[in-house]
């Protein structure tokens, strides 16, 4: 059953992580992808249950895409079932490993729909994830500021314990913390996720009545945080309809340390701070640049 | 004193600045952007969480500032406040009357506790929702910050698909922060929609001045786009100058709402 992991040993590959939500017969989960490389690519859709195992009777779907060709993968149709919750790994690799596959800017859009709701999340590809020798120095600090819990809606956070290492066997543990809008907090029970598994954190189940009461103090809203050292994960959060279990809306989380890594605005910080308040600032900057590079060839400037 | 579970790199970024420099400890925040919608039955909630509290694992004092721009690039409303511990601030456009139908949200979380050794951006989330419906909405994460620099912006975004009966819109803005006096319409964008047959359909957007934004009704601007895209996956290619990174693509049928940043 673990033969599929050999694909991860391909020299060139990238992976999209996503979530499969088929709780009711009318739920639909699909993943769209376009091969924007000038070479042929192989797409393999690995579907995994919450413990990281390939579901019974599912043969991983594989196809080849010509340059510019699109694919929309319907998880329910491939699984031939309508009651499955788990994760997907869309593994993309060049048909000829000697040709170079450009991974930068690769996107996939995941869609979850029902007759009453529609929700989609766009994600970027991981060229490598939780590789031995790298993961040990990485950490995962996650916050979800859109937690809601009321009579109609609840919040679900999905964390993928995936890797691009075929030998990955790490079970990981999290300790979630729920906070209401005022910052009053509640620590939840520890949660474990098996390798290639997915953690589906239902805020009501993990924090129980105490958690609902905590959020009720601030109109049913709050934030949830988690941290972990030694691995990184991609994670999604959703608002879920309590009655139908439809996914109403969602997003992928954003690593808060990313705020120190945005290059454009940070590289030009002083100019960006001063220029909005100074009339003719663009002309002044342009003039100063001309003076600075006066007499120098364009190559030197 | 950072807590036991603090982020080690975050702790290293903290530096002790006293005296005059220490007074300006909050100026290094350049913020982050997203778009708000306040029209056609759609409203926007903005969620700002004091994540410095998470990274420091202690009671980390921070302030927040939200500038809401109208489509002409002027600040329609400015809101500020201070966080307490792991507080979350939720702002709702339904409660702010001064706003345009749409525009840019520029949010800054400012460190008021110590000082960082470098400038930093801001991450926040916003939710587009319909007040008359509890089970439809869209979540969006924030993106980069505008800058006083002119640059080329190229983006190839794939995997999109149109839902049958839905009408697509694109929120797009200028990322230029130069003062408007003496500054022309520096932002331009060319959008190309490539369908599953690799056929292209393009439009050149009107030029924008600093911090201006537009909501493009794509079916109105590009007649024939619906048939061109059909219900198959398609790509959007943007070739632009000084564009606010990134545009937001959404589709609605007046009841449902779905969307995502490019």
């Amino acid at each position: 059953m673990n033969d599929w992991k050999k694909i991860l040993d391909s020299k060139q590959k990238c992976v999209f992580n996503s979530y499969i939500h088929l709780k009711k017969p009318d739920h639909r989960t699909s993943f769209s992808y376009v091969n924007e490389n000038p070479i042929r690519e192989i797409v393999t859709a690995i579907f995994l249950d919450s413990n990281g195992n390939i579901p019974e009777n599912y043969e991983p779907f594989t196809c080849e895409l010509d340059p510019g060709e699109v694919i929309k993968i319907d998880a329910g149709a491939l699984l031939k079932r309508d009651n499955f919750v788990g994760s997907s790994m869309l593994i993309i690799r060049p048909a000829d490993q000697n040709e170079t596959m450009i991974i930068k800017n690769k996107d996939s859009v995941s869609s979850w729909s029902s007759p009453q709701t529609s929700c989609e999340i766009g994600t970027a590809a991981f060229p490598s994830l939780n590789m031995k020798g790298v993961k040990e120095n990485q950490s995962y600090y996650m916050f979800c500021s859109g937690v809601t819990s009321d009579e109609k809606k609840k919040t679900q956070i999905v964390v993928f314990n995936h890797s691009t290492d075929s030998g990955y066997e790490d079970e990981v543990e999290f300790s979630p913390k729920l906070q209401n809008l005022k910052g009053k907090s509640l620590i939840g029970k520890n949660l474990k996720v098996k390798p290639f598994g997915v953690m589906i954190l239902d805020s009501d189940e993990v924090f129980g009545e105490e958690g609902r009461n905590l959020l009720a103090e601030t109109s049913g809203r709050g934030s949830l945080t988690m941290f972990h050292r030694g691995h990184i994960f991609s994670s999604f959060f959703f608002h879920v309809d309590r009655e139908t279990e439809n996914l109403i809306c969602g997003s992928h989380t954003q690593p808060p340390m990313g705020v120190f890594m945005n290059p454009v605005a940070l590289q030009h910080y002083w100019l960006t701070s001063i220029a909005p308040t100074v009339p003719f600032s663009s002309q002044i900057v342009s003039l100063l640049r001309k003076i600075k590079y006066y007499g120098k060839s364009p190559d030197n400037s | 004193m950072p807590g036991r579970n603090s982020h080690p790199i975050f702790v290293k970024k903290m530096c002790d600045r006293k005296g005059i420099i220490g007074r300006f400890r909050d100026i290094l925040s350049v913020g982050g952007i997203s778009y708000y919608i306040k029209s056609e039955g759609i409203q926007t909630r903005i969620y700002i969480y004091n994540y410095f509290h998470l990274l420091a694992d202690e009671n980390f004092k921070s302030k927040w500032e939200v500038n809401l721009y109208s489509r002409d690039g002027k600040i329609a409303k400015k809101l500020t406040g201070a966080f307490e511990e792991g507080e979350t601030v939720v702002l709702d456009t339904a409660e702010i009357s001064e706003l345009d139908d749409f525009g840019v949200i520029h949010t800054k979380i400012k460190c008021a506790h110590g000082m960082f050794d470098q400038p930093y951006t801001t991450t926040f989330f916003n939710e587009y929702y319909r007040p008359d419906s509890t089970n439809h909405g869209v979540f969006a994460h924030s993106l980069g910050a505008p800058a006083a620099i002119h640059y080329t912006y190229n983006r190839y975004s794939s995997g999109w698909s149109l839902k049958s009966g839905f009408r697509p819109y694109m929120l797009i803005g200028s990322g230029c922060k130069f003062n408007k006096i003496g500054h022309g319409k520096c932002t331009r964008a060319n959008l190309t929609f490539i369908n599953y047959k690799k056929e292209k359909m393009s439009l050149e957007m009107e030029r924008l001045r600093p911090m201006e934004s537009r909501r493009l009704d794509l079916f109105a601007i590009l007649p024939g786009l619906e048939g061109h895209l059909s219900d198959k996956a398609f790509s959007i290619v943007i070739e632009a100058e000084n564009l606010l990174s990134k545009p937001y693509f959404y589709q609605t049928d007046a009841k449902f709402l779905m969307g995502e940043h490019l």
Side-chain angles (χ1 to χ4, degrees):
Chain A
M1 290 297 277
N2 284 328
D3 284 354
W4 70 269
K5 290 181 185 170
K6 287 176 188 164
I7 302 169
L8 297 172
D9 294 329
S10 304
K11 195 173 70 178
Q12 290 189 78
K13 77 227 165 233
C14 65
V15 171
F16 294 101
N17 301 324
S18 195
Y19 171 58
I20 302 171
H21 183 87
L22 302 169
K23 284 198 165 179
K24 297 278 172 73
D26 60 3
H27 284 174
R28 193 169 173 226
T29 300
S30 63
F31 313 108
S32 298
Y33 173 74
V34 180
N35 171 16
E36 77 273 29
N37 266 298
I39 58 169
R40 280 178 70 79
E41 290 182 342
I42 302 172
V43 179
T44 306
I46 305 294
F47 297 154
L48 301 156
D49 65 19
S50 54
N51 289 322
N53 300 315
I54 297 260
E56 240 174 75
N57 302 325
Y58 175 66
E59 188 64 35
F61 167 81
T62 295
C63 70
E64 283 200 28
L65 294 184
D66 283 327
E69 197 175 345
V70 303
I71 188 165
K72 196 167 184 177
I73 296 168
D74 186 329
L78 289 176
L79 284 164
K80 298 185 186 82
R81 54 203 283 187
D82 53 22
N83 59 339
F84 181 81
V85 171
S87 67
S88 72
M89 287 178 79
L90 217 60
I91 305 171
I92 318 290
R93 60 209 152 109
D96 179 354
Q97 282 285 331
N98 294 318
E99 291 184 297
T100 304
M101 182 174 79
I102 301 159
I103 295 169
K104 196 183 169 193
N105 278 348
K106 270 193 184 295
D107 300 305
S108 170
V109 178
S110 305
S111 303
W112 301 269
S113 61
S114 71
Q116 297 84 31
T117 55
S118 282
C119 167
E120 60 184 20
I121 298 176
T123 52
F126 286 99
S128 75
L129 185 63
N130 286 327
M131 293 298 289
K132 206 172 180 179
V134 179
K135 64 181 182 187
E136 292 79 4
N137 297 320
Q138 294 182 309
S139 55
Y140 171 72
Y141 281 71
M142 191 284 292
F143 74 96
C144 167
S145 53
V147 173
T148 189
S149 177
D150 57 30
E151 286 174 5
K152 292 182 177 171
K153 286 189 285 190
K154 61 180 180 177
T155 303
Q156 180 175 295
I157 291 168
V158 179
V159 183
F160 307 100
N161 183 18
H162 289 176
S163 172
T164 52
D165 180 352
S166 60
Y168 184 71
E169 290 181 333
D170 298 0
E171 185 176 70
V172 296
E173 194 169 357
F174 301 94
S175 176
K177 186 168 141 184
L178 184 70
Q179 292 154 290
N180 67 14
L181 295 183
K182 292 288 174 199
K184 193 173 165 187
S185 65
L186 182 65
I187 307 282
K189 60 188 175 190
N190 278 14
L191 300 165
K192 288 181 178 175
V193 196
K194 292 202 180 312
F196 294 99
V198 60
M199 179 176 77
I200 301 154
L201 189 161
D202 181 324
S203 61
D204 278 2
E205 284 174 21
V206 174
F207 298 98
E209 196 60 31
E210 208 180 342
R212 287 189 74 167
N213 292 339
L214 180 79
L215 294 178
E217 289 174 21
T218 53
S219 61
R221 296 186 186 281
S223 292
L224 194 144
T225 62
M226 279 192 280
F227 94 96
H228 173 91
R229 288 204 185 111
H231 302 84
I232 55 165
F233 313 102
S234 57
S235 41
F236 295 167
F237 66 89
F238 299 98
H239 285 175
V240 185
D241 186 305
R242 284 185 187 279
E243 192 186 327
T244 61
E245 299 197 78
N246 294 338
L247 299 183
I248 299 164
C249 58
S251 176
H252 61 80
T253 58
Q254 287 281 82
M257 277 303 289
V259 301
F260 294 101
M261 293 162 199
N262 184 314
V264 177
L266 303 190
Q267 279 168 18
H268 304 279
Y269 167 73
W270 289 109
L271 191 56
T272 300
S273 302
I274 297 161
T277 57
V278 180
F280 302 99
S281 53
S282 63
Q283 283 91 334
I284 295 167
V285 168
S286 179
L287 182 67
L288 290 173
R289 285 214 174 105
K290 277 181 186 163
I291 293 167
K292 185 179 176 185
Y293 297 114
Y294 181 74
K296 292 178 183 173
S297 70
D299 290 340
N300 293 335
S301 61
Chain B
M1 190 69 184
R4 195 167 54 95
N5 297 327
S6 57
H7 194 294
I9 300 170
F10 176 79
V11 173
K12 277 186 191 169
K13 292 206 170 283
M14 297 290 304
C15 54
D16 193 18
R17 291 276 188 274
K18 292 193 171 79
I20 291 173
I21 294 175
R23 286 187 199 175
F24 298 101
R25 60 169 65 103
D26 63 355
I27 66 165
L28 293 174
S29 174
V30 299
I33 65 103
S34 191
Y35 298 92
Y36 69 84
I37 307 172
K38 185 185 165 68
S39 60
E40 294 172 354
I42 304 170
Q43 295 285 353
T44 309
R45 282 191 196 100
I46 304 161
Y47 296 84
I48 315 163
Y49 172 66
N50 179 16
Y51 46 76
F52 290 141
H53 176 80
L54 165 70
L55 292 168
D57 190 31
E58 65 163 344
N59 184 13
F60 196 96
K61 286 182 182 167
S62 304
K63 295 187 284 187
W64 57 269
E65 177 187 309
V66 178
N67 287 312
L68 295 145
Y69 288 78
S70 54
R71 75 185 83 180
D72 61 1
K74 290 177 184 157
I75 295 175
K77 185 74 178 175
K78 180 174 184 163
L79 297 158
T80 57
F83 287 115
E84 290 294 330
E85 300 194 26
E87 195 182 351
T88 306
V89 171
V90 182
L91 303 172
D92 195 330
T93 57
E95 294 159 9
I96 308 169
S97 58
E98 296 91 336
L99 301 182
D100 202 344
D101 288 352
F102 60 87
V104 171
I105 308 164
H106 189 190
T107 299
K108 290 180 180 178
I109 295 181
K110 298 172 166 186
C111 167
H113 190 82
M115 196 164 182
F116 298 124
D117 64 1
Q118 66 157 92
Y120 50 95
T121 57
T122 295
T123 291
F124 66 98
F125 289 88
N126 58 288
E127 179 191 9
Y128 304 111
Y129 72 99
R130 292 186 180 279
D132 56 355
S133 168
T134 55
N135 61 350
H136 303 122
V138 182
F139 253 102
H141 60 80
S142 62
L143 297 154
I149 184 80
H150 283 166
Y151 52 90
T152 303
Y153 176 93
N154 291 319
R155 175 88 174 118
Y156 192 118
S157 182
S158 54
W160 299 95
S161 59
L162 271 188
K163 206 166 162 65
S164 176
F166 278 47
R167 196 171 182 89
Y169 296 86
M170 181 99 72
L171 287 164
I172 202 160
S174 166
C176 175
K177 276 288 265 186
F178 279 116
N179 190 294
K180 283 183 187 173
I181 299 174
H183 199 70
K185 295 183 173 183
C186 63
T187 302
R188 58 157 286 271
N190 183 284
L191 278 67
T192 302
F193 297 85
I194 306 174
N195 68 12
Y196 72 102
K197 294 176 188 165
K198 301 173 203 171
E199 294 165 340
K200 296 177 182 177
M201 222 170 157
S202 297
L203 77 92
E204 184 76 31
M205 195 191 72
E206 64 166 307
R207 283 180 166 263
L208 302 179
R209 297 187 74 201
M211 297 308 290
E212 283 186 348
S213 57
R214 292 290 180 272
R215 177 170 54 188
L216 308 178
D217 180 348
L218 296 171
F219 280 175
I221 299 170
L222 271 175
L225 185 67
E226 189 171 7
H228 174 73
L229 299 179
S230 68
D231 62 346
K232 303 271 197 315
F234 64 90
S235 303
I236 304 171
V237 181
I238 299 184
E239 293 168 277
E241 284 167 23
N242 317 320
L243 196 72
L244 190 60
S245 175
K246 302 168 180 174
Y248 190 82
F249 179 80
Y250 73 95
Q251 44 186 318
T252 181
D253 69 346
K255 186 182 171 195
F256 288 85
L257 186 62
M258 57 196 289
E260 178 63 288
H261 288 290
L262 260 66

